[in-house]
Amino acid sequence: MNDARSTSPEQLGVLLKDAQSVLHQRMDEALRPLDLSVSQYACLHHLHQAPGITASELARRAFVTRQAMSVLLKGLQRQGLVARADEQGPRRERAMTLTSEAEEILQQAGAAVSEVVGLMTAPLDQADRDDLARLLLACRDSLLHG
């Protein structure tokens, strides 16, 4: 990175974590005016993608514990952004759905997040972005299946 030697796996890991940390910080700043955290945005995003998803699956997709997801969902419910189904599903969990207010805020949040990601990837041309996506998917898949 600083010289002609090849980049070590450790350096790559640190760089990836640094980039993720700064991305999270910038997303948090962009979402703050909407009164959302990154975790709340992730929750709303995944509920939008998979309406009726269980809290357990939602926690896995948002990278938080089940307990943390429970707290997030209660907060989002108090804000009027999610509603809990009356009927219990399998394993006695109640599905959560977005309210119309959440759909509106999610559009604004998505635009704010897109701006941040656009800033992050501004130095890259389309071929570089495609390569980055391919390489990150390969790294993720290797960890999942390796």
Side-chain angles (χ1 to χ4, degrees):
M1 292 180 13
N2 292 336
D3 56 30
R5 292 181 295 161
S6 62
T7 305
S8 73
E10 181 183 6
Q11 288 171 312
L12 284 174
V14 169
L15 183 59
L16 187 57
K17 179 61 180 152
D18 286 349
Q20 184 275 332
S21 180
V22 175
L23 175 62
H24 190 280
Q25 182 181 1
R26 294 296 180 259
M27 285 173 59
D28 192 53
E29 291 166 359
L31 293 168
R32 195 171 297 131
L34 298 172
D35 200 26
L36 288 178
S37 68
V38 173
S39 295
Q40 288 172 320
Y41 168 73
C43 179
L44 295 176
H45 171 80
H46 289 295
L47 277 172
H48 177 75
Q49 295 295 316
I53 190 172
T54 65
S56 296
E57 180 60 24
L58 193 53
R60 279 189 288 280
R61 292 184 186 192
F63 304 107
V64 298
T65 65
R66 229 175 137 238
Q67 293 80 7
M69 183 53 66
S70 177
V71 171
L72 274 172
L73 288 170
K74 285 177 185 174
L76 290 169
Q77 198 171 8
R78 276 193 303 274
Q79 288 177 264
L81 300 177
V82 298
R84 188 178 301 270
D86 293 331
E87 299 291 319
Q88 290 183 345
R91 293 185 260 171
R92 301 179 356 179
E93 289 191 86
R94 293 179 189 224
M96 302 298 288
T97 57
L98 297 179
T99 64
S100 56
E101 183 179 336
E103 294 284 354
E104 205 172 292
I105 287 176
L106 189 56
Q107 281 187 335
Q108 295 171 35
V113 167
S114 289
E115 275 188 49
V116 171
V117 175
L119 177 63
M120 178 181 74
T121 59
L124 308 176
D125 63 22
Q126 186 60 52
D128 288 338
R129 288 192 299 273
D130 292 344
D131 286 344
L132 179 60
R134 180 182 52 78
L135 293 168
L136 288 172
L137 285 168
C139 290
R140 181 205 62 194
D141 291 348
S142 180
L143 288 172
L144 284 173
H145 306 295

